[in-house]
Amino acid sequence: MKKPELLSPAGNLTKLKIALAYGADAVYASVGNFSLRQRSAKEFDLDSFEEGVRLAHENGAKFYATVNGFPYNTQLDNLKKHIKTVSEFGVDAFIIATPGVMKLAKEIAPNIEIHLSTQANVMNYLDAQIYHDMGASRIVAAREMSLKDAVLIKEMVPSLELEIFCHGSMCFAYSGRCLVSAVQSGRLSNRGSCANDCRFNYELYAKSPENGALFRLEEDEHGTHIMNSKDLNLSKHIEKIIKTQAIDSLKIEGRTKSEYYAACATKAYRMAIDDAISGNFRAEIYEAELNTLKNRGFSDGYLIHKPFERDDTQNHINSIEEGTHQVHAISIDGDSFKTKFKIDTKHEYEIFAPLNSDINIIENELGSIYKKDEKYYIKFKKLISLKGKEFDEIHSGNENEIKLPIKLPKFSFLRKEIVKGE
């Protein structure tokens, strides 16, 4: 079977490094004002963006630059400069949403591939063929498209690559084309500054035009999160998707999500893809890992089932749910860690590290590292900072870096299962 590319989000340079360490074949990121994730784009400057391209290539991975906003006339001159600058960094492709920007990119940087954004809403082979004729080497399919339709597009336009989202936030609006944020918050979702108004808790009222009386409508058991979509999770379907041989790239959404999200989602789908290829697919393992992440509840979206067949894609109860685990610390260099929640000497913490990591079992004056149930754990005897200060416990917000008993793999996390009442 053909192994699809695993494409991970790179919200900043650290998340890019994490995605590569945890098995991404390619990353996508943005800088400047022409992406649909303005907050993430501000995490990069031109120097760090160029470094990210270099790091990706040094690790044998590809780097895709998102230029998928919908520009105004007043921005076009700056857009031309932006495309020229980013193209000189050697990115492997531009992710673009509009025909005009596609044409512009082809004129300025003819040797760089164009990937058509999901915002273009490609649902059939006629549209796919037209964009391919215009220069797109790949389309990121509309999230409302079915796997059956993806197969047909591949059959009809075999030289076109297909990319689909396999995990991450879903949008209440059709293919993300939304105006709610612009109307309510003055923040333009189609230009990268969505305020996520669909996640808010709403109250509904009825007003009489006769006398101006206003009545609050009572909610039922679904509450009032009426536009809040569950998160996409296709992990249990990866083997089925790969067997179609129609999908060239599996994309994880989430440039604005946490460092742990970048690591965990990448690792889970890396395992799923590799296991599907080797004939050892174990859906329960990947689902268990993804369940450790904070989420809005999970749905398998519309690739397997058509939208009108679904009635479980919205979470009407709340806008976010805790995952099964809490991340307590991250180690960037493997020698020390910074706390993300709380670390003490009373509890053990699971070590979450890149695949095939070499972790030594040891015990010394700082603590012990041991293995149980095929997982590695650490328990501290002393919490001593790099500056020599000792703590009984250390909490989030404390900037001291704490020594580890032994060097761990770079970008390791310490996590603990959430136990109610503890």
Side-chain angles (χ1 to χ4, degrees):
M1 289 190 294
K2 178 182 67 178
K3 181 183 285 191
E5 168 189 270
L6 176 59
L7 176 56
S8 294
N12 56 34
L13 192 59
T14 298
K15 293 176 188 177
L16 182 147
K17 294 175 182 178
I18 289 172
L20 295 175
Y22 279 82
D25 298 310
V27 294
Y28 63 101
S30 60
V31 64
N33 298 317
F34 301 102
S35 159
L36 285 183
R37 291 291 183 273
Q38 285 293 305
R39 182 156 62 93
S40 171
K42 291 176 182 177
E43 295 276 343
F44 281 100
D45 58 24
L46 291 177
D47 290 338
S48 59
F49 197 77
E50 185 176 18
E51 183 182 354
V53 177
R54 178 182 60 79
L55 286 171
H57 292 164
E58 286 178 355
N59 284 272
K62 292 185 176 182
F63 189 109
Y64 306 143
T66 56
V67 193
N68 59 343
F70 293 76
Y72 291 143
N73 287 323
T74 54
Q75 290 186 302
L76 294 181
D77 286 341
N78 285 334
L79 176 60
K80 293 174 185 177
K81 297 175 185 176
H82 178 77
I83 291 173
K84 185 177 187 301
T85 298
V86 173
S87 68
E88 291 171 350
F89 295 158
V91 299
D92 296 282
F94 290 120
I95 303 173
I96 295 174
T98 73
V101 180
M102 283 180 61
K103 184 174 183 293
L104 194 62
K106 276 297 180 186
E107 292 171 354
I108 296 171
N111 296 323
I112 294 180
E113 291 186 8
I114 290 177
H115 296 175
L116 186 72
S117 170
T118 187
Q119 294 286 114
N121 316 131
V122 170
M123 296 280 290
N124 60 70
Y125 63 80
L126 292 178
D127 290 338
Q129 182 68 67
I130 286 177
Y131 280 112
H132 192 32
D133 293 343
M134 292 171 58
S137 61
R138 174 186 295 186
I139 63 166
V140 187
R143 299 195 195 192
E144 296 81 8
M145 190 176 72
S146 70
L147 186 58
K148 182 179 178 181
D149 284 325
V151 171
L152 183 56
I153 289 175
K154 194 68 173 180
E155 290 175 356
M156 300 300 290
V157 197
S159 58
L160 177 67
E161 292 184 351
L162 291 184
E163 176 181 308
I164 63 167
F165 280 94
C166 63
H167 196 90
S169 297
M170 293 285 279
C171 184
F172 177 79
Y174 183 81
S175 284
R177 303 290 286 269
C178 180
L179 287 174
V180 176
S181 175
V183 171
Q184 294 195 150
S185 305
R187 290 172 52 178
L188 309 177
S189 57
N190 297 321
R191 292 169 48 75
S193 57
C194 178
N196 288 309
D197 294 62
C198 58
R199 311 298 182 190
F200 296 173
N201 187 354
Y202 289 91
E203 291 184 350
L204 304 181
Y205 291 84
K207 182 178 180 180
S208 168
E210 298 295 328
N211 55 22
L214 192 64
F215 298 93
R216 182 175 180 271
L217 302 182
E218 294 296 327
E219 306 93 13
D220 61 14
E221 68 276 9
H222 294 303
T224 55
H225 288 274
I226 56 174
M227 295 183 287
N228 182 48
S229 298
K230 291 182 181 179
D231 292 341
L232 178 67
N233 181 344
L234 288 176
S235 59
K236 67 181 179 182
H237 299 296
I238 294 301
E239 185 175 41
K240 178 179 180 178
I241 292 168
I242 290 177
K243 283 182 176 179
T244 67
Q245 298 289 278
I247 305 303
D248 298 281
S249 181
L250 294 167
K251 185 174 191 174
I252 299 169
E253 184 276 339
R255 279 183 283 159
T256 61
K257 291 185 169 67
S258 69
E259 295 164 341
Y260 176 66
Y261 175 92
C264 183
T266 300
K267 184 176 181 178
Y269 283 95
R270 177 77 277 155
M271 288 191 293
I273 292 169
D274 292 349
D275 289 351
I277 295 295
S278 66
N280 188 34
F281 192 74
R282 299 159 293 171
E284 67 281 0
I285 292 177
Y286 327 127
E287 289 190 297
E289 280 296 346
L290 294 167
N291 284 335
T292 69
L293 295 167
K294 291 183 178 181
N295 59 81
R296 300 181 181 93
F298 286 127
S299 164
D300 57 10
Y302 307 123
L303 191 76
I304 306 301
H305 305 91
K306 294 180 179 179
F308 63 82
E309 297 174 336
R310 307 310 307 272
D311 61 0
D312 64 345
T313 58
Q314 301 296 116
N315 181 351
H316 297 111
I317 308 303
N318 49 44
S319 61
I320 197 70
E321 297 178 6
E322 294 292 333
T324 60
H325 287 63
Q326 172 67 52
V327 175
H328 286 252
I330 179 174
S331 177
I332 299 295
D333 60 6
D335 294 315
S336 61
F337 71 83
K338 277 193 173 183
T339 184
K340 292 284 187 179
F341 191 65
K342 175 186 175 183
I343 295 285
D344 59 33
T345 57
K346 300 175 184 178
H347 295 91
E348 64 177 8
Y349 303 92
E350 181 189 348
I351 299 170
F352 181 81
L355 282 170
N356 304 315
S357 292
D358 186 16
I359 299 176
N360 294 318
I361 296 174
I362 62 98
E363 184 170 3
N364 57 30
E365 70 279 3
L366 292 179
S368 57
I369 294 176
Y370 48 93
K371 189 176 183 181
K372 64 177 182 178
D373 300 326
E374 301 304 313
K375 297 177 180 179
Y376 289 92
Y377 291 85
I378 186 170
K379 189 171 184 180
F380 293 95
K381 295 178 182 177
K382 295 181 179 179
L383 296 170
I384 300 177
S385 73
L386 294 181
K387 298 178 180 178
K389 185 177 181 179
E390 186 169 353
F391 299 85
D392 294 324
E393 60 185 33
I394 188 164
H395 295 259
S396 175
N398 191 320
E399 290 298 310
N400 282 281
E401 294 190 39
I402 306 299
K403 296 178 182 179
L404 288 161
I406 196 172
K407 189 175 181 66
L408 292 178
K410 290 182 178 180
F411 305 113
S412 293
F413 295 82
L414 305 184
R415 69 184 186 185
K416 189 174 178 293
E417 187 172 0
I418 297 173
V419 179
K420 290 183 178 180
E422 185 174 290

